Amino acid sequence: MIILGIETSCDETAVAVVEDGRRILANLVSTQVKFHSRYGGVIPEVASRKQIELINPLLNEALKKSRKRWQDIDAVAVASRPGLIGSLLVGISTASALAYANNLPLIEVNHVEAHLYANFLEDSAIQMPFTGLVVSGGHTSIFLVRNHRDMELLGETRDDAAGEAFDKVAKLLGLSYPGGPEIEKLAERGNPEKVKFPRPYLYNSFDFSFSGLKTAVAYYIKEKFQVPGSAFKLTDRVKCDIASGFQESVVEVLVNKTIRVARKKGVKRIAIGGGVAANKRLRLLFKQEAEKYGMELFIPPLELCLDNAAMVAARAYYQNKFE
Ligand code: KG4
Ligand code: ZN
């Protein structure tokens, strides 16, 4: 079964063609980062206008790349929620029109759930049940995935998402958008022990909270480096140490909490997804801790952690399967 997937929930326009929920025949992503970075974040109005410009050329290119014609496509899938309403609308109306014109079924999928399905692509050997952690710019959600139709949301962020915290702390440090990769780069040169930020665990809850941690970074900078009445500039060394201390705190909380949930639920498999899952420190600590507790760990390749349409097509394929 060949599914054409469309993803337009935020500032990426993506189209993919995937066979049997697994084999990627084409996976194209057009990012708008350069249009938004000058404003320090995504402007919803600009994002939806760009989606309209980009979607048609990308569709044609994806079909060409997959060497398929419309006659070969069995269904059209689209991430229909959650996301920026204007951006989502472009994907939904495009997918609906294509499905109607080609007499194909239209499959709507949830973008957050789709992030976990990046783990089902290509030669992954993932099986269910598993504990799934989605860490992106908009979400920090932990699921117990019993089967393709039973994804129980166990906990989520009560305030900022993990990626949002990365982006906001990056802003405090004068770095560009998106902040996650920038923080990661600085953190590699920093000492994670130099500044010890709080670890927001919210004991006895499966939820997360990262807004206090972001505030702790803001206060640390203010108290240590701001001289009233004058501008201040952080040295490269200080920025690297703050980035490293902050990253360590987020990563520790995400990893320890996920392992704790998996142990509590008696599930020995963990799968992660979302933009923050591209973080090397997070990937390494997950690997170490999963090994320590004898758990199987699944992490998508870097490019499938970020928003893409292959994960949407994969989710659509499995969503309709009874197993
Ligand atoms: O999944 P995604 O591409 O889009 C959403 O669904 O939100 O995630 C984007 C988020 C941004 O907040 C970005 O800063 C973060 O993922 N991110 C990272 C890294 N790469 C992207 N955070 C930490 N380390 C990274 N290497
Ligand atoms: Zn996403």
Side-chain angles (χ1 to χ4, degrees), residues 201 252 254-264 266-270 284-297:
Y201 275 110
E252 259 185 49
L254 290 174
V255 173
N256 291 340
K257 196 139 190 167
T258 307
I259 299 266
R260 195 180 303 158
V261 171
R263 292 182 71 200
K264 249 193 165 140
V267 176
K268 297 213 111 197
R269 266 181 224 114
I270 290 177
L284 180 67
L285 199 66
F286 252 122
K287 205 161 162 263
Q288 289 169 347
E289 291 301 297
E291 252 167 44
K292 195 157 104 193
Y293 289 98
M295 295 190 178
E296 240 185 314
L297 176 70

mmCIF file of all heavy atoms in Angstrom, residues 201 252 254-264 266-270 284-297:
data_model
loop_
_atom_site.group_PDB
_atom_site.id
_atom_site.type_symbol
_atom_site.label_atom_id
_atom_site.label_comp_id
_atom_site.label_asym_id
_atom_site.label_seq_id
_atom_site.Cartn_x
_atom_site.Cartn_y
_atom_site.Cartn_z
ATOM 1 N N TYR A 201 11.262 17.578 38.466
ATOM 2 C CA TYR A 201 10.761 16.209 38.287
ATOM 3 C C TYR A 201 9.256 16.052 38.517
ATOM 4 O O TYR A 201 8.655 15.102 38.063
ATOM 5 C CB TYR A 201 11.510 15.238 39.216
ATOM 6 C CG TYR A 201 12.800 14.763 38.608
ATOM 7 C CD1 TYR A 201 14.024 15.170 39.124
ATOM 8 C CD2 TYR A 201 12.796 13.922 37.506
ATOM 9 C CE1 TYR A 201 15.215 14.747 38.548
ATOM 10 C CE2 TYR A 201 13.978 13.493 36.928
ATOM 11 C CZ TYR A 201 15.187 13.905 37.456
ATOM 12 O OH TYR A 201 16.343 13.492 36.876
ATOM 13 N N GLU A 252 18.449 15.173 31.625
ATOM 14 C CA GLU A 252 18.336 14.267 32.782
ATOM 15 C C GLU A 252 16.884 14.014 33.149
ATOM 16 O O GLU A 252 16.475 12.880 33.379
ATOM 17 C CB GLU A 252 19.055 14.885 33.983
ATOM 18 C CG GLU A 252 20.426 14.285 34.203
ATOM 19 C CD GLU A 252 21.048 14.835 35.480
ATOM 20 O OE1 GLU A 252 20.386 14.856 36.550
ATOM 21 O OE2 GLU A 252 22.196 15.266 35.390
ATOM 22 N N LEU A 254 14.171 14.371 31.252
ATOM 23 C CA LEU A 254 13.461 13.614 30.202
ATOM 24 C C LEU A 254 13.816 12.128 30.263
ATOM 25 O O LEU A 254 12.937 11.265 30.205
ATOM 26 C CB LEU A 254 13.817 14.166 28.816
ATOM 27 C CG LEU A 254 13.260 15.559 28.475
ATOM 28 C CD1 LEU A 254 13.817 16.049 27.135
ATOM 29 C CD2 LEU A 254 11.733 15.554 28.432
ATOM 30 N N VAL A 255 15.105 11.838 30.403
ATOM 31 C CA VAL A 255 15.541 10.439 30.389
ATOM 32 C C VAL A 255 15.085 9.719 31.665
ATOM 33 O O VAL A 255 14.451 8.655 31.594
ATOM 34 C CB VAL A 255 17.080 10.349 30.241
ATOM 35 C CG1 VAL A 255 17.558 8.910 30.405
ATOM 36 C CG2 VAL A 255 17.514 10.905 28.889
ATOM 37 N N ASN A 256 15.374 10.301 32.818
ATOM 38 C CA ASN A 256 15.043 9.609 34.070
ATOM 39 C C ASN A 256 13.544 9.385 34.214
ATOM 40 O O ASN A 256 13.093 8.343 34.676
ATOM 41 C CB ASN A 256 15.569 10.398 35.278
ATOM 42 C CG ASN A 256 17.090 10.353 35.313
ATOM 43 O OD1 ASN A 256 17.696 9.466 34.706
ATOM 44 N ND2 ASN A 256 17.707 11.301 35.992
ATOM 45 N N LYS A 257 12.792 10.383 33.810
ATOM 46 C CA LYS A 257 11.348 10.270 33.953
ATOM 47 C C LYS A 257 10.785 9.185 33.024
ATOM 48 O O LYS A 257 9.923 8.395 33.417
ATOM 49 C CB LYS A 257 10.712 11.616 33.631
ATOM 50 C CG LYS A 257 9.327 11.699 34.092
ATOM 51 C CD LYS A 257 9.028 13.042 34.682
ATOM 52 C CE LYS A 257 7.697 12.964 35.348
ATOM 53 N NZ LYS A 257 7.419 14.092 36.192
ATOM 54 N N THR A 258 11.266 9.159 31.793
ATOM 55 C CA THR A 258 10.777 8.156 30.835
ATOM 56 C C THR A 258 11.111 6.744 31.331
ATOM 57 O O THR A 258 10.279 5.840 31.274
ATOM 58 C CB THR A 258 11.397 8.393 29.438
ATOM 59 O OG1 THR A 258 11.157 9.749 29.075
ATOM 60 C CG2 THR A 258 10.791 7.482 28.397
ATOM 61 N N ILE A 259 12.332 6.570 31.837
ATOM 62 C CA ILE A 259 12.733 5.251 32.349
ATOM 63 C C ILE A 259 11.834 4.881 33.535
ATOM 64 O O ILE A 259 11.360 3.751 33.652
ATOM 65 C CB ILE A 259 14.216 5.270 32.812
ATOM 66 C CG1 ILE A 259 15.133 5.605 31.638
ATOM 67 C CG2 ILE A 259 14.590 3.983 33.535
ATOM 68 C CD1 ILE A 259 15.722 4.461 30.881
ATOM 69 N N ARG A 260 11.566 5.867 34.388
ATOM 70 C CA ARG A 260 10.733 5.602 35.566
ATOM 71 C C ARG A 260 9.318 5.173 35.148
ATOM 72 O O ARG A 260 8.751 4.225 35.694
ATOM 73 C CB ARG A 260 10.666 6.858 36.439
ATOM 74 C CG ARG A 260 10.138 6.556 37.835
ATOM 75 C CD ARG A 260 10.077 7.793 38.692
ATOM 76 N NE ARG A 260 11.370 8.461 38.804
ATOM 77 C CZ ARG A 260 11.511 9.754 39.120
ATOM 78 N NH1 ARG A 260 10.465 10.507 39.328
ATOM 79 N NH2 ARG A 260 12.704 10.282 39.226
ATOM 80 N N VAL A 261 8.766 5.879 34.158
ATOM 81 C CA VAL A 261 7.422 5.534 33.684
ATOM 82 C C VAL A 261 7.418 4.123 33.094
ATOM 83 O O VAL A 261 6.541 3.302 33.389
ATOM 84 C CB VAL A 261 6.928 6.561 32.627
ATOM 85 C CG1 VAL A 261 5.634 6.101 31.981
ATOM 86 C CG2 VAL A 261 6.744 7.930 33.259
ATOM 87 N N ALA A 262 8.437 3.816 32.285
ATOM 88 C CA ALA A 262 8.515 2.495 31.651
ATOM 89 C C ALA A 262 8.596 1.399 32.718
ATOM 90 O O ALA A 262 7.934 0.361 32.619
ATOM 91 C CB ALA A 262 9.729 2.434 30.725
ATOM 92 N N ARG A 263 9.379 1.643 33.765
ATOM 93 C CA ARG A 263 9.514 0.636 34.839
ATOM 94 C C ARG A 263 8.196 0.483 35.586
ATOM 95 O O ARG A 263 7.768 -0.615 35.907
ATOM 96 C CB ARG A 263 10.624 1.050 35.808
ATOM 97 C CG ARG A 263 12.009 0.993 35.145
ATOM 98 C CD ARG A 263 13.091 1.344 36.094
ATOM 99 N NE ARG A 263 13.306 0.303 37.096
ATOM 100 C CZ ARG A 263 13.906 0.493 38.258
ATOM 101 N NH1 ARG A 263 14.347 1.697 38.588
ATOM 102 N NH2 ARG A 263 14.070 -0.487 39.092
ATOM 103 N N LYS A 264 7.575 1.603 35.878
ATOM 104 C CA LYS A 264 6.296 1.561 36.604
ATOM 105 C C LYS A 264 5.229 0.815 35.823
ATOM 106 O O LYS A 264 4.397 0.113 36.387
ATOM 107 C CB LYS A 264 5.815 2.987 36.869
ATOM 108 C CG LYS A 264 5.868 3.330 38.337
ATOM 109 C CD LYS A 264 5.123 4.569 38.678
ATOM 110 C CE LYS A 264 4.942 4.594 40.182
ATOM 111 N NZ LYS A 264 5.114 5.909 40.744
ATOM 112 N N GLY A 266 5.882 -1.463 33.629
ATOM 113 C CA GLY A 266 6.379 -2.796 33.299
ATOM 114 C C GLY A 266 6.588 -3.006 31.807
ATOM 115 O O GLY A 266 6.407 -4.105 31.290
ATOM 116 N N VAL A 267 6.993 -1.928 31.103
ATOM 117 C CA VAL A 267 7.223 -2.015 29.656
ATOM 118 C C VAL A 267 8.723 -1.869 29.398
ATOM 119 O O VAL A 267 9.334 -0.900 29.830
ATOM 120 C CB VAL A 267 6.460 -0.879 28.925
ATOM 121 C CG1 VAL A 267 6.745 -0.888 27.445
ATOM 122 C CG2 VAL A 267 4.969 -1.031 29.166
ATOM 123 N N LYS A 268 9.306 -2.834 28.702
ATOM 124 C CA LYS A 268 10.768 -2.808 28.562
ATOM 125 C C LYS A 268 11.254 -2.233 27.236
ATOM 126 O O LYS A 268 12.370 -2.484 26.809
ATOM 127 C CB LYS A 268 11.335 -4.221 28.769
ATOM 128 C CG LYS A 268 11.073 -4.747 30.171
ATOM 129 C CD LYS A 268 12.168 -5.643 30.661
ATOM 130 C CE LYS A 268 12.943 -4.991 31.782
ATOM 131 N NZ LYS A 268 14.201 -5.538 32.079
ATOM 132 N N ARG A 269 10.371 -1.473 26.567
ATOM 133 C CA ARG A 269 10.767 -0.838 25.311
ATOM 134 C C ARG A 269 10.478 0.648 25.393
ATOM 135 O O ARG A 269 9.415 1.046 25.886
ATOM 136 C CB ARG A 269 9.942 -1.382 24.154
ATOM 137 C CG ARG A 269 10.568 -2.506 23.429
ATOM 138 C CD ARG A 269 9.697 -2.976 22.291
ATOM 139 N NE ARG A 269 9.690 -4.421 22.315
ATOM 140 C CZ ARG A 269 8.641 -5.166 22.574
ATOM 141 N NH1 ARG A 269 7.476 -4.608 22.810
ATOM 142 N NH2 ARG A 269 8.743 -6.469 22.597
ATOM 143 N N ILE A 270 11.420 1.447 24.857
ATOM 144 C CA ILE A 270 11.219 2.898 24.840
ATOM 145 C C ILE A 270 11.444 3.403 23.416
ATOM 146 O O ILE A 270 12.396 2.977 22.752
ATOM 147 C CB ILE A 270 12.204 3.593 25.811
ATOM 148 C CG1 ILE A 270 11.811 3.280 27.258
ATOM 149 C CG2 ILE A 270 12.248 5.096 25.582
ATOM 150 C CD1 ILE A 270 12.753 3.848 28.290
ATOM 151 N N LEU A 284 22.533 10.054 23.806
ATOM 152 C CA LEU A 284 23.562 9.290 24.511
ATOM 153 C C LEU A 284 23.074 8.849 25.895
ATOM 154 O O LEU A 284 23.210 7.687 26.280
ATOM 155 C CB LEU A 284 24.846 10.137 24.641
ATOM 156 C CG LEU A 284 25.994 9.456 25.364
ATOM 157 C CD1 LEU A 284 26.510 8.281 24.528
ATOM 158 C CD2 LEU A 284 27.138 10.430 25.634
ATOM 159 N N LEU A 285 22.485 9.795 26.639
ATOM 160 C CA LEU A 285 22.032 9.460 27.998
ATOM 161 C C LEU A 285 20.910 8.419 27.953
ATOM 162 O O LEU A 285 20.860 7.507 28.782
ATOM 163 C CB LEU A 285 21.580 10.713 28.737
ATOM 164 C CG LEU A 285 21.533 10.553 30.258
ATOM 165 C CD1 LEU A 285 22.932 10.340 30.832
ATOM 166 C CD2 LEU A 285 20.909 11.772 30.930
ATOM 167 N N PHE A 286 20.024 8.527 26.969
ATOM 168 C CA PHE A 286 18.961 7.525 26.813
ATOM 169 C C PHE A 286 19.581 6.154 26.577
ATOM 170 O O PHE A 286 19.147 5.156 27.154
ATOM 171 C CB PHE A 286 18.033 7.888 25.642
ATOM 172 C CG PHE A 286 16.675 8.367 26.085
ATOM 173 C CD1 PHE A 286 16.204 9.617 25.724
ATOM 174 C CD2 PHE A 286 15.855 7.558 26.877
ATOM 175 C CE1 PHE A 286 14.950 10.067 26.146
ATOM 176 C CE2 PHE A 286 14.603 7.990 27.296
ATOM 177 C CZ PHE A 286 14.157 9.245 26.932
ATOM 178 N N LYS A 287 20.614 6.130 25.739
ATOM 179 C CA LYS A 287 21.259 4.859 25.392
ATOM 180 C C LYS A 287 21.870 4.238 26.659
ATOM 181 O O LYS A 287 21.668 3.067 26.958
ATOM 182 C CB LYS A 287 22.343 5.132 24.343
ATOM 183 C CG LYS A 287 22.664 3.965 23.504
ATOM 184 C CD LYS A 287 23.369 4.373 22.216
ATOM 185 C CE LYS A 287 24.046 3.148 21.652
ATOM 186 N NZ LYS A 287 25.462 3.053 21.996
ATOM 187 N N GLN A 288 22.601 5.071 27.412
ATOM 188 C CA GLN A 288 23.262 4.571 28.618
ATOM 189 C C GLN A 288 22.255 4.054 29.644
ATOM 190 O O GLN A 288 22.411 2.976 30.209
ATOM 191 C CB GLN A 288 24.108 5.684 29.256
ATOM 192 C CG GLN A 288 25.334 6.026 28.442
ATOM 193 C CD GLN A 288 26.024 7.289 28.939
ATOM 194 O OE1 GLN A 288 25.475 8.045 29.738
ATOM 195 N NE2 GLN A 288 27.239 7.530 28.461
ATOM 196 N N GLU A 289 21.213 4.829 29.887
ATOM 197 C CA GLU A 289 20.240 4.452 30.917
ATOM 198 C C GLU A 289 19.403 3.243 30.486
ATOM 199 O O GLU A 289 19.083 2.379 31.300
ATOM 200 C CB GLU A 289 19.333 5.642 31.254
ATOM 201 C CG GLU A 289 20.049 6.758 31.979
ATOM 202 C CD GLU A 289 20.668 6.315 33.303
ATOM 203 O OE1 GLU A 289 19.934 5.918 34.220
ATOM 204 O OE2 GLU A 289 21.916 6.354 33.414
ATOM 205 N N ALA A 290 19.044 3.191 29.201
ATOM 206 C CA ALA A 290 18.257 2.050 28.715
ATOM 207 C C ALA A 290 19.080 0.768 28.875
ATOM 208 O O ALA A 290 18.555 -0.268 29.297
ATOM 209 C CB ALA A 290 17.860 2.265 27.256
ATOM 210 N N GLU A 291 20.369 0.859 28.572
ATOM 211 C CA GLU A 291 21.252 -0.307 28.728
ATOM 212 C C GLU A 291 21.294 -0.738 30.190
ATOM 213 O O GLU A 291 21.189 -1.921 30.519
ATOM 214 C CB GLU A 291 22.664 0.052 28.269
ATOM 215 C CG GLU A 291 23.029 -0.602 26.941
ATOM 216 C CD GLU A 291 24.291 -0.005 26.343
ATOM 217 O OE1 GLU A 291 25.272 0.201 27.083
ATOM 218 O OE2 GLU A 291 24.259 0.266 25.121
ATOM 219 N N LYS A 292 21.442 0.254 31.069
ATOM 220 C CA LYS A 292 21.531 -0.016 32.507
ATOM 221 C C LYS A 292 20.307 -0.785 33.011
ATOM 222 O O LYS A 292 20.426 -1.678 33.831
ATOM 223 C CB LYS A 292 21.650 1.329 33.240
ATOM 224 C CG LYS A 292 22.103 1.210 34.671
ATOM 225 C CD LYS A 292 22.715 2.497 35.147
ATOM 226 C CE LYS A 292 21.757 3.240 36.056
ATOM 227 N NZ LYS A 292 22.183 4.622 36.301
ATOM 228 N N TYR A 293 19.145 -0.439 32.487
ATOM 229 C CA TYR A 293 17.915 -1.087 32.962
ATOM 230 C C TYR A 293 17.444 -2.218 32.038
ATOM 231 O O TYR A 293 16.327 -2.703 32.176
ATOM 232 C CB TYR A 293 16.799 -0.034 33.122
ATOM 233 C CG TYR A 293 17.059 0.881 34.291
ATOM 234 C CD1 TYR A 293 17.641 2.135 34.095
ATOM 235 C CD2 TYR A 293 16.772 0.478 35.598
ATOM 236 C CE1 TYR A 293 17.904 2.975 35.172
ATOM 237 C CE2 TYR A 293 17.034 1.311 36.670
ATOM 238 C CZ TYR A 293 17.600 2.551 36.453
ATOM 239 O OH TYR A 293 17.856 3.374 37.520
ATOM 240 N N GLY A 294 18.285 -2.610 31.098
ATOM 241 C CA GLY A 294 17.959 -3.718 30.200
ATOM 242 C C GLY A 294 16.745 -3.435 29.326
ATOM 243 O O GLY A 294 15.923 -4.317 29.079
ATOM 244 N N MET A 295 16.625 -2.187 28.879
ATOM 245 C CA MET A 295 15.477 -1.836 28.032
ATOM 246 C C MET A 295 15.917 -1.664 26.592
ATOM 247 O O MET A 295 17.034 -1.255 26.324
ATOM 248 C CB MET A 295 14.852 -0.527 28.517
ATOM 249 C CG MET A 295 14.259 -0.670 29.893
ATOM 250 S SD MET A 295 13.302 0.773 30.295
ATOM 251 C CE MET A 295 12.702 0.307 31.900
ATOM 252 N N GLU A 296 14.997 -1.973 25.669
ATOM 253 C CA GLU A 296 15.256 -1.772 24.248
ATOM 254 C C GLU A 296 14.923 -0.319 23.917
ATOM 255 O O GLU A 296 13.867 0.176 24.335
ATOM 256 C CB GLU A 296 14.310 -2.667 23.462
ATOM 257 C CG GLU A 296 14.985 -3.683 22.583
ATOM 258 C CD GLU A 296 13.944 -4.431 21.764
ATOM 259 O OE1 GLU A 296 12.912 -4.846 22.347
ATOM 260 O OE2 GLU A 296 14.156 -4.559 20.577
ATOM 261 N N LEU A 297 15.795 0.341 23.157
ATOM 262 C CA LEU A 297 15.582 1.763 22.868
ATOM 263 C C LEU A 297 15.494 2.004 21.364
ATOM 264 O O LEU A 297 16.302 1.478 20.601
ATOM 265 C CB LEU A 297 16.748 2.568 23.455
ATOM 266 C CG LEU A 297 16.750 4.060 23.168
ATOM 267 C CD1 LEU A 297 15.631 4.770 23.924
ATOM 268 C CD2 LEU A 297 18.097 4.679 23.551
#
